[in-house]
Amino acid sequence: MAKYIVLLGPPGAGKGTQAQIIAEKYQLVHVSSGDLFRENLKNQTELGKHAQTFMSRGELVPDDVTIAMVRERLARPDCRNGALLDGFPRTPAQASALAEMLKEFNGAVNVVPYICVPAEVLIERLSGRWTCRSNGHVFHEKFNPPAVAGICDLDGSELYQRDDDKAETVKNRIKVYQEQTSPLIDYYRKNGLLVEIDGTKPIEEVTKDMLTAIEDAK
Ligand code: ADP
Ligand code: ADP
């Protein structure tokens, strides 16, 4: 059966950072809905242009569009054995759509590591985040600096600061998370899949706790 890991947590909690490390370790495909939207935007597709209006305001892209995009990605052959989902689902409707589509793909959500970080830490993390243009690798100017400023350690491409990482938009993204995404904490807790991870620890320690959670779920 195909195995899917869902990373849950507020914007800036460290989902992308941990997903990169874990995907490599388990040879899992990293599916980030935010990266998919940004790729569409870079290629100026209709989907990208539509998503941009919501992303620039720090709002969620409507469920139907988001679900269709993720479904198309998970249906590709490289996800046959499962995937590491980062940033999806973000609403109860997305969570039930995911459960339904995974039945079709002969799989299920295996474990949901929930990375907990208080709001005041998130703002500091996002305001110092630098993202790689080619593959979405993330760094932090203070907490995880690249070897050479402005250049991605992993693929040599340019690092940039996302428009929606400015303080004003971040505040709205955190509010949107609290209103629309945080109900998923209870949803996954009730079906026994949630594992709480302290996301305020250094990156390597968070990784260790994540790996324990994933191993225990096997
Ligand atoms: P973060 O780094 O905060 O986790 P993402 O890169 O995951 O941010 O998402 C950036 C933006 O893309 C979101 O603010 C939202 O506009 C859009 N987005 C990403 N995933 C989803 C989703 N599952 N549902 C709706 N909108 C999404
Ligand atoms: P998310 O995908 O949840 O939005 P990211 O993985 O992009 O979060 O991390 C947000 C920022 O915080 C990045 O600049 C990243 O380098 C940094 N970061 C991630 N995990 C930690 C951590 N445990 N301690 C300090 N900074 C971190």
Side-chain angles (χ1 to χ4, degrees):
M1 215 162 98
K3 285 183 178 161
Y4 298 84
I5 300 169
V6 167
L7 298 189
L8 200 59
K15 301 183 297 297
T17 302
Q18 297 300 328
Q20 270 164 37
I21 302 170
I22 292 162
E24 186 168 40
K25 187 166 169 72
Y26 288 106
Q27 292 299 299
L28 272 172
V29 179
H30 173 198
V31 174
S32 155
S33 43
D35 285 352
L36 292 174
F37 282 130
R38 281 184 289 277
E39 208 176 288
N40 273 281
L41 185 63
K42 195 161 75 181
N43 298 330
Q44 283 292 297
T45 67
E46 284 309 309
L47 170 67
K49 288 186 229 167
H50 179 61
Q52 165 67 1
T53 45
F54 300 95
M55 293 171 81
S56 62
R57 294 196 291 251
E59 289 167 11
L60 294 184
V61 180
D63 281 336
D64 52 349
V65 178
T66 306
I67 291 165
M69 176 184 74
V70 173
R71 162 189 276 280
E72 190 275 323
R73 180 68 192 87
L74 292 178
R76 289 193 220 159
D78 61 341
C79 292
R80 220 178 11 243
N81 297 321
L84 183 55
L85 286 157
D86 160 16
F88 180 92
R90 256 178 160 96
T91 64
Q94 292 179 16
S96 21
L98 177 67
E100 285 308 309
M101 74 175 90
L102 295 189
K103 280 188 209 157
E104 258 175 67
F105 300 150
N106 189 32
V109 175
N110 221 41
V111 60
V112 181
Y114 161 44
I115 310 180
C116 316
V117 175
E120 59 278 12
V121 178
L122 299 175
I123 297 180
E124 193 186 10
R125 286 203 182 167
L126 293 176
S127 60
R129 171 158 74 180
W130 288 79
T131 303
C132 124
R133 283 228 191 261
S134 307
N135 294 298
H137 300 124
V138 286
F139 297 86
H140 191 282
E141 53 195 31
K142 217 154 83 191
F143 307 132
N144 184 25
V148 180
I151 309 283
C152 177
D153 284 358
L154 299 151
D155 59 30
S157 71
E158 183 204 2
L159 298 178
Y160 74 107
Q161 289 194 288
R162 275 169 48 181
D163 252 6
D164 60 342
D165 279 348
K166 24 178 215 292
E168 213 178 275
T169 319
V170 164
K171 280 183 195 143
N172 195 42
R173 285 162 62 202
I174 295 172
K175 183 168 158 261
V176 166
Y177 168 81
Q178 277 156 356
E179 289 169 1
Q180 302 189 54
T181 308
S182 67
L184 298 186
I185 299 166
D186 254 5
Y187 171 88
Y188 285 119
R189 188 180 280 130
K190 278 189 187 130
N191 58 22
L193 295 172
L194 197 84
V195 182
E196 284 189 40
I197 307 277
D198 178 358
T200 63
K201 294 182 185 175
I203 293 173
E204 305 73 51
E205 286 183 42
V206 177
T207 303
K208 272 192 212 147
D209 293 346
M210 299 270 290
L211 294 177
T212 307
I214 293 167
E215 291 294 334
D216 286 351
K218 275 189 175 169

Coordinates of all heavy atoms in Angstrom, one line a residue, residues 31 40 44 86 90 125-126 136 199 204:
V31 N 5.9 16.7 -2.2 CA 4.8 17.5 -2.9 C 4.4 18.7 -2.1 O 3.8 18.5 -1.0 CB 3.6 16.6 -3.2 CG1 2.5 17.4 -3.8 CG2 4.0 15.4 -4.2
N40 N 3.8 27.3 -11.3 CA 2.8 27.7 -12.3 C 2.9 29.2 -12.6 O 2.7 29.6 -13.7 CB 1.4 27.3 -11.8 CG 1.0 25.9 -12.2 OD1 0.6 25.7 -13.3 ND2 1.1 25.0 -11.3
Q44 N 3.8 31.3 -15.9 CA 2.6 32.1 -16.3 C 1.4 31.3 -16.9 O 0.8 31.7 -17.9 CB 3.1 33.2 -17.4 CG 3.9 34.3 -16.7 CD 3.0 35.2 -15.9 OE1 2.0 35.8 -16.3 NE2 3.2 35.2 -14.5
D86 N 3.4 18.6 1.8 CA 3.8 19.8 2.6 C 2.9 20.9 2.1 O 3.0 21.4 1.0 CB 5.3 20.0 2.2 CG 5.8 21.4 2.5 OD1 5.2 22.2 3.2 OD2 6.9 21.7 2.0
R90 N -5.0 22.0 3.7 CA -5.0 23.2 4.6 C -6.4 23.6 5.0 O -6.6 24.6 5.7 CB -4.4 24.4 3.8 CG -3.0 24.8 4.1 CD -2.6 25.9 3.2 NE -1.5 26.7 3.6 CZ -0.3 26.6 3.2 NH1 0.1 25.6 2.5 NH2 0.6 27.5 3.6
R125 N 11.2 33.9 11.6 CA 11.6 32.9 10.7 C 11.3 33.3 9.2 O 12.2 33.2 8.4 CB 10.9 31.5 11.0 CG 11.5 30.9 12.2 CD 11.3 29.4 12.2 NE 11.8 28.8 13.4 CZ 11.5 27.6 13.7 NH1 10.7 26.9 13.0 NH2 12.0 27.1 14.8
L126 N 10.1 33.8 9.0 CA 9.7 34.1 7.6 C 10.4 35.4 7.1 O 10.7 35.5 5.9 CB 8.2 34.2 7.5 CG 7.5 32.9 7.7 CD1 6.0 33.0 7.7 CD2 7.9 31.8 6.7
G136 N 13.0 25.6 -4.8 CA 12.3 25.9 -3.5 C 13.0 25.5 -2.3 O 12.5 25.5 -1.2
G199 N 8.7 22.3 17.3 CA 9.4 22.9 16.1 C 10.3 24.1 16.5 O 10.9 24.7 15.7
E204 N 18.2 20.1 13.2 CA 18.6 18.6 13.3 C 17.8 17.9 14.4 O 17.5 16.7 14.2 CB 20.1 18.5 13.7 CG 21.1 19.2 12.7 CD 21.1 20.7 13.0 OE1 21.2 21.1 14.1 OE2 21.0 21.5 12.0

